Amino acid sequence: MTGEGSGGPRGVDCPGWALESGAFAAVATKECPLSPLVGVPEPVTVRVPAKINLHLSVGPLRPDGYHELVTVFQAVSLYDQVTATPARTLTLAVSGEGAGTLPTDSGNLAWRAAALLAQRAGVDAAVHLDLARGIPVAGGLAGGSADAAATLVACDALWGTGLGRAELLELAAELGADVAFGLVGGIALGTGRGERLTPVLAAGRWHWVLAAAHGGLSTPEVYRELDRLRAVTEAAPDPDSEAERVSGEPVAVGPVSGLINALRLQDPEQLGRLLANDLQPAALSLRPELRRTLRAAAELGALGAIVSGSGPTCALLARSDEHAVRLAAALAGAGICRTVKVVAGPVPGARVVDR
Ligand code: C5P
């Protein structure tokens, strides 16, 4: 397929980071997919996108260990693929990004998604999950959550559970803060832990360069660092506080309305100026070298640049597809990132592509 957003990301320097692009197919059906020949359900393959947060404001720590969020998600054309095949028991294998480093048991969120769905639907979790990963691990792009969302859709189709979309969204929210967005995709305002979603109705196409860093960042660790920086600022509220010295920016972002307006107006210059992330100071504190990427982005003419979610991937906004390709080439040439990818958004959430 050649249409924008329907293909995978175009790599500048990392062949291992691109997945086969396939057509978007119809959404998962609820019928039990019995093979006419042998009576065994056919494997189901689901493609699911990465997310970036265009705005992420983080409130105080809640008693349940989560923080109250206001965030704007956009799903972008960098994908994982999950194939669910009938099996005797629940098993899981990983290829691509993170193969060999990710758990292949209940430590993997995709495994837990299959187990939870089976339990809720009253069926055996008799499935083998193949995760073909294109999304960097622990990159701030919600790859693990995307795999869980894809697993819910794939197993739902494989088992013909009859659960509705609302129930799948509930299961997604139980699994993690970003899983529900993996199901929905597009652009959405997230509140609560990030799992309460309202679609943002904005036409238009947004062009990004994703700069992946060496190594990942642990999301809980980044949130803890933010709490620490905030405690320091509260204890010594002066402009030269550690939090501001570390990040070079304030530790609380403003309201989200301006950014939503920029999306609706399809105004990339304004959107670039309004990208904001409360987790960025914490990510920069843990990984100071990310500043070089953000600085290079500004020097190379990105409309805006931001640490994506808890990082360490940085997202650079471009004016057009051509601008994104030029920006990616220049950034790759600077040699400060692990890989550089051109992607576009919004794209739909987890969808069956093959069965
Ligand atoms: O839900 P998920 O597994 O993606 O969250 C990972 C961790 O990130 C949580 O255990 C928590 O430490 C932190 N988090 C948070 N507030 C949120 C989302 C995540 O503190 N709203």
Side-chain angles (χ1 to χ4, degrees):
M1 271 181 81
T2 53
E4 272 186 321
S6 53
R10 278 165 303 139
V12 171
D13 62 354
C14 177
W17 200 18
L19 285 179
E20 291 276 321
S21 64
F24 282 120
V27 294
T29 59
K30 293 282 180 280
E31 298 89 44
C32 186
L34 293 178
S35 152
L37 288 178
V38 291
V40 175
E42 303 260 339
V44 179
T45 297
V46 170
R47 187 166 78 154
V48 65
K51 64 82 190 163
I52 53 180
N53 301 82
L54 313 186
H55 173 105
L56 177 53
S57 58
V58 180
L61 181 62
R62 308 190 321 193
D64 65 0
Y66 279 88
H67 294 72
E68 201 66 26
L69 302 184
V70 176
T71 188
V72 175
F73 295 107
Q74 183 174 123
V76 295
S77 58
L78 171 65
Y79 299 98
D80 280 2
Q81 230 166 251
V82 174
T83 300
T85 308
R88 282 182 194 283
T89 56
L90 179 49
T91 53
L92 183 148
V94 182
S95 59
E97 285 276 329
T101 67
L102 288 175
T104 54
D105 56 14
S106 61
N108 193 304
L109 198 57
W111 175 297
R112 296 208 291 279
L116 181 65
L117 178 64
Q119 185 220 332
R120 214 51 67 85
V123 301
D124 282 340
V127 66
H128 175 70
L129 301 171
D130 262 309
L131 276 50
R133 299 209 33 139
I135 305 173
V137 175
L141 300 168
S145 299
D147 294 345
T151 298
L152 288 177
V153 173
C155 292
D156 177 54
L158 188 71
W159 296 332
T161 68
L163 294 179
R165 192 150 181 85
E167 281 163 292
L168 288 186
L169 282 167
E170 255 174 51
L171 295 185
E174 275 181 48
L175 287 162
D178 293 336
V179 183
F181 182 71
L183 286 180
V184 170
I187 306 178
L189 178 69
T191 55
R193 290 179 299 142
E195 86 289 6
R196 287 211 301 266
L197 299 173
T198 310
V200 173
L201 300 174
R205 194 99 203 116
W206 305 91
H207 302 276
W208 302 92
V209 175
L210 297 183
H214 293 279
L217 271 172
S218 145
T219 302
E221 215 175 292
V222 176
Y223 274 97
R224 274 198 298 274
E225 180 65 3
L226 176 63
D227 291 337
R228 191 188 72 80
L229 291 174
R230 283 180 167 172
V232 169
T233 313
E234 270 164 35
D238 72 88
D240 205 25
S241 72
E242 184 189 352
E244 299 218 4
R245 269 203 319 277
V246 164
S247 65
E249 58 189 303
V251 286
V253 304
V256 71
S257 49
L259 179 124
I260 289 180
N261 215 28
L263 285 167
R264 293 205 169 122
L265 294 172
Q266 296 180 43
D267 182 341
E269 315 272 341
Q270 202 184 330
L271 185 74
R273 280 192 295 274
L274 292 172
L275 296 172
N277 180 3
D278 267 340
L279 291 179
Q280 183 162 304
L284 292 178
S285 167
L286 296 170
R287 297 285 292 276
E289 74 276 13
L290 295 178
R291 279 152 197 263
R292 290 180 63 203
T293 305
L294 296 176
R295 221 176 292 131
E299 284 162 13
L300 295 170
L303 301 182
I306 195 170
V307 171
S308 173
S310 54
T313 307
C314 294
L316 285 60
L317 181 63
R319 195 170 288 111
S320 63
D321 186 36
E322 298 70 36
H323 183 210
V325 170
R326 283 201 308 278
L327 203 52
L331 193 61
I336 46 179
C337 313
R338 176 168 71 91
T339 57
V340 178
K341 286 282 151 188
V342 173
V343 299
V347 297
R351 294 288 182 277
V352 174
V353 290
D354 192 21
R355 66 183 310 183

Short mmCIF file of all heavy atoms in Angstrom, two decimals, residues 58 61 65-69 109 145 175-178 192-194 219-221 223-224, ligand 1:
data_model
loop_
_atom_site.label_atom_id
_atom_site.label_comp_id
_atom_site.label_asym_id
_atom_site.label_seq_id
_atom_site.Cartn_x
_atom_site.Cartn_y
_atom_site.Cartn_z
N VAL A 58 1.10 15.89 34.33
CA VAL A 58 1.06 14.87 35.38
C VAL A 58 0.67 15.54 36.69
O VAL A 58 1.33 16.47 37.14
CB VAL A 58 2.45 14.20 35.53
CG1 VAL A 58 2.42 13.14 36.63
CG2 VAL A 58 2.91 13.60 34.20
N LEU A 61 0.63 12.14 42.84
CA LEU A 61 0.62 10.69 43.00
C LEU A 61 -0.66 10.28 43.74
O LEU A 61 -1.03 10.87 44.74
CB LEU A 61 1.85 10.28 43.82
CG LEU A 61 2.07 8.80 44.10
CD1 LEU A 61 2.25 8.02 42.80
CD2 LEU A 61 3.29 8.60 44.99
N GLY A 65 -0.78 4.38 43.43
CA GLY A 65 0.57 4.34 42.85
C GLY A 65 0.64 4.98 41.47
O GLY A 65 1.72 5.10 40.89
N TYR A 66 -0.52 5.38 40.94
CA TYR A 66 -0.54 6.06 39.64
C TYR A 66 -0.66 7.57 39.84
O TYR A 66 -1.01 8.03 40.93
CB TYR A 66 -1.74 5.59 38.81
CG TYR A 66 -1.50 4.26 38.11
CD1 TYR A 66 -1.77 3.07 38.76
CD2 TYR A 66 -1.01 4.22 36.82
CE1 TYR A 66 -1.54 1.85 38.11
CE2 TYR A 66 -0.78 3.01 36.17
CZ TYR A 66 -1.05 1.83 36.82
OH TYR A 66 -0.82 0.65 36.19
N HIS A 67 -0.38 8.33 38.79
CA HIS A 67 -0.56 9.77 38.82
C HIS A 67 -1.76 10.13 37.95
O HIS A 67 -2.00 9.50 36.93
CB HIS A 67 0.68 10.49 38.26
CG HIS A 67 1.91 10.31 39.10
ND1 HIS A 67 2.60 9.13 39.18
CD2 HIS A 67 2.57 11.19 39.90
CE1 HIS A 67 3.64 9.27 39.99
NE2 HIS A 67 3.65 10.51 40.45
N GLU A 68 -2.46 11.16 38.36
CA GLU A 68 -3.57 11.67 37.58
C GLU A 68 -2.97 12.37 36.34
O GLU A 68 -2.04 13.17 36.47
CB GLU A 68 -4.33 12.68 38.44
CG GLU A 68 -5.73 12.94 38.04
CD GLU A 68 -6.65 11.74 38.19
OE1 GLU A 68 -6.40 10.84 39.01
OE2 GLU A 68 -7.64 11.71 37.43
N LEU A 69 -3.49 12.06 35.16
CA LEU A 69 -2.92 12.63 33.93
C LEU A 69 -3.94 13.42 33.14
O LEU A 69 -5.13 13.13 33.19
CB LEU A 69 -2.44 11.52 32.99
CG LEU A 69 -1.40 10.50 33.45
CD1 LEU A 69 -1.06 9.59 32.28
CD2 LEU A 69 -0.16 11.21 33.95
N LEU A 109 3.16 -8.30 29.23
CA LEU A 109 1.78 -7.79 29.32
C LEU A 109 0.87 -8.46 28.29
O LEU A 109 -0.34 -8.61 28.53
CB LEU A 109 1.80 -6.26 29.12
CG LEU A 109 0.58 -5.47 29.58
CD1 LEU A 109 0.27 -5.70 31.05
CD2 LEU A 109 0.77 -3.97 29.31
N SER A 145 2.19 -1.95 25.91
CA SER A 145 0.74 -1.75 25.97
C SER A 145 0.10 -2.04 24.62
O SER A 145 -0.99 -2.61 24.54
CB SER A 145 0.42 -0.30 26.36
OG SER A 145 0.96 -0.01 27.63
N LEU A 175 -5.37 -3.74 32.45
CA LEU A 175 -4.02 -4.21 32.15
C LEU A 175 -2.96 -3.10 32.31
O LEU A 175 -1.83 -3.37 32.69
CB LEU A 175 -3.97 -4.78 30.74
CG LEU A 175 -4.66 -6.14 30.57
CD1 LEU A 175 -4.96 -6.42 29.10
CD2 LEU A 175 -3.80 -7.25 31.16
N GLY A 176 -3.32 -1.87 31.98
CA GLY A 176 -2.33 -0.79 32.07
C GLY A 176 -2.91 0.51 31.54
O GLY A 176 -3.94 0.52 30.87
N ALA A 177 -2.21 1.60 31.84
CA ALA A 177 -2.74 2.93 31.55
C ALA A 177 -2.86 3.20 30.05
O ALA A 177 -3.77 3.91 29.61
CB ALA A 177 -1.85 3.99 32.20
N ASP A 178 -1.98 2.64 29.23
CA ASP A 178 -1.94 2.99 27.81
C ASP A 178 -2.58 1.95 26.90
O ASP A 178 -2.61 2.12 25.68
CB ASP A 178 -0.49 3.18 27.34
CG ASP A 178 0.17 4.40 27.98
OD1 ASP A 178 -0.56 5.33 28.38
OD2 ASP A 178 1.41 4.41 28.07
N GLY A 192 -7.65 10.50 33.90
CA GLY A 192 -7.50 9.42 34.89
C GLY A 192 -6.04 8.99 34.89
O GLY A 192 -5.13 9.82 34.96
N ARG A 193 -5.81 7.69 34.78
CA ARG A 193 -4.42 7.20 34.63
C ARG A 193 -3.96 7.33 33.18
O ARG A 193 -2.86 6.91 32.84
CB ARG A 193 -4.35 5.72 35.02
CG ARG A 193 -4.53 5.44 36.47
CD ARG A 193 -4.47 3.95 36.72
NE ARG A 193 -5.51 3.22 36.01
CZ ARG A 193 -5.36 2.03 35.43
NH1 ARG A 193 -4.21 1.40 35.46
NH2 ARG A 193 -6.36 1.45 34.80
N GLY A 194 -4.84 7.83 32.33
CA GLY A 194 -4.58 7.89 30.89
C GLY A 194 -5.49 6.94 30.15
O GLY A 194 -5.49 6.88 28.92
N THR A 219 9.45 3.27 32.98
CA THR A 219 8.39 4.26 33.22
C THR A 219 8.21 4.56 34.71
O THR A 219 8.18 5.74 35.09
CB THR A 219 7.06 3.78 32.58
OG1 THR A 219 7.30 3.58 31.19
CG2 THR A 219 5.94 4.78 32.77
N PRO A 220 8.09 3.55 35.59
CA PRO A 220 7.94 3.88 37.02
C PRO A 220 9.10 4.72 37.54
O PRO A 220 8.91 5.64 38.34
CB PRO A 220 7.92 2.52 37.71
CG PRO A 220 7.59 1.53 36.66
CD PRO A 220 8.02 2.09 35.35
N GLU A 221 10.32 4.43 37.03
CA GLU A 221 11.48 5.19 37.49
C GLU A 221 11.39 6.66 37.07
O GLU A 221 11.74 7.57 37.83
CB GLU A 221 12.74 4.57 36.88
CG GLU A 221 13.95 4.59 37.77
CD GLU A 221 15.09 3.84 37.12
OE1 GLU A 221 15.00 2.60 36.98
OE2 GLU A 221 16.06 4.50 36.72
N TYR A 223 8.59 8.36 36.52
CA TYR A 223 7.59 9.01 37.38
C TYR A 223 8.18 9.30 38.77
O TYR A 223 7.92 10.36 39.35
CB TYR A 223 6.34 8.13 37.52
CG TYR A 223 5.33 8.33 36.39
CD1 TYR A 223 5.30 7.48 35.30
CD2 TYR A 223 4.42 9.38 36.43
CE1 TYR A 223 4.38 7.65 34.28
CE2 TYR A 223 3.49 9.57 35.41
CZ TYR A 223 3.48 8.69 34.34
OH TYR A 223 2.57 8.89 33.34
N ARG A 224 8.95 8.35 39.30
CA ARG A 224 9.56 8.58 40.63
C ARG A 224 10.52 9.77 40.59
O ARG A 224 10.57 10.58 41.51
CB ARG A 224 10.32 7.33 41.09
CG ARG A 224 9.44 6.31 41.79
CD ARG A 224 10.26 5.32 42.60
NE ARG A 224 11.16 4.54 41.77
CZ ARG A 224 10.81 3.42 41.14
NH1 ARG A 224 9.59 2.95 41.24
NH2 ARG A 224 11.69 2.77 40.39
O1 C5P B 1 0.02 1.24 33.50
P1 C5P B 1 1.45 1.05 33.11
O2 C5P B 1 1.93 -0.33 33.40
O3 C5P B 1 1.76 1.49 31.73
O4 C5P B 1 2.27 2.02 34.08
C1 C5P B 1 3.59 1.78 34.39
C2 C5P B 1 3.98 2.59 35.62
O5 C5P B 1 4.04 3.99 35.28
C3 C5P B 1 3.01 2.52 36.78
O6 C5P B 1 3.26 1.40 37.59
C4 C5P B 1 3.31 3.83 37.51
O7 C5P B 1 4.49 3.72 38.28
C5 C5P B 1 3.61 4.78 36.37
N1 C5P B 1 2.40 5.55 35.97
C6 C5P B 1 1.94 6.54 36.82
N2 C5P B 1 0.82 7.24 36.48
C7 C5P B 1 0.17 6.98 35.32
C8 C5P B 1 0.65 5.99 34.42
C9 C5P B 1 1.77 5.29 34.80
O8 C5P B 1 2.52 6.80 37.88
N3 C5P B 1 -0.93 7.67 35.04
#
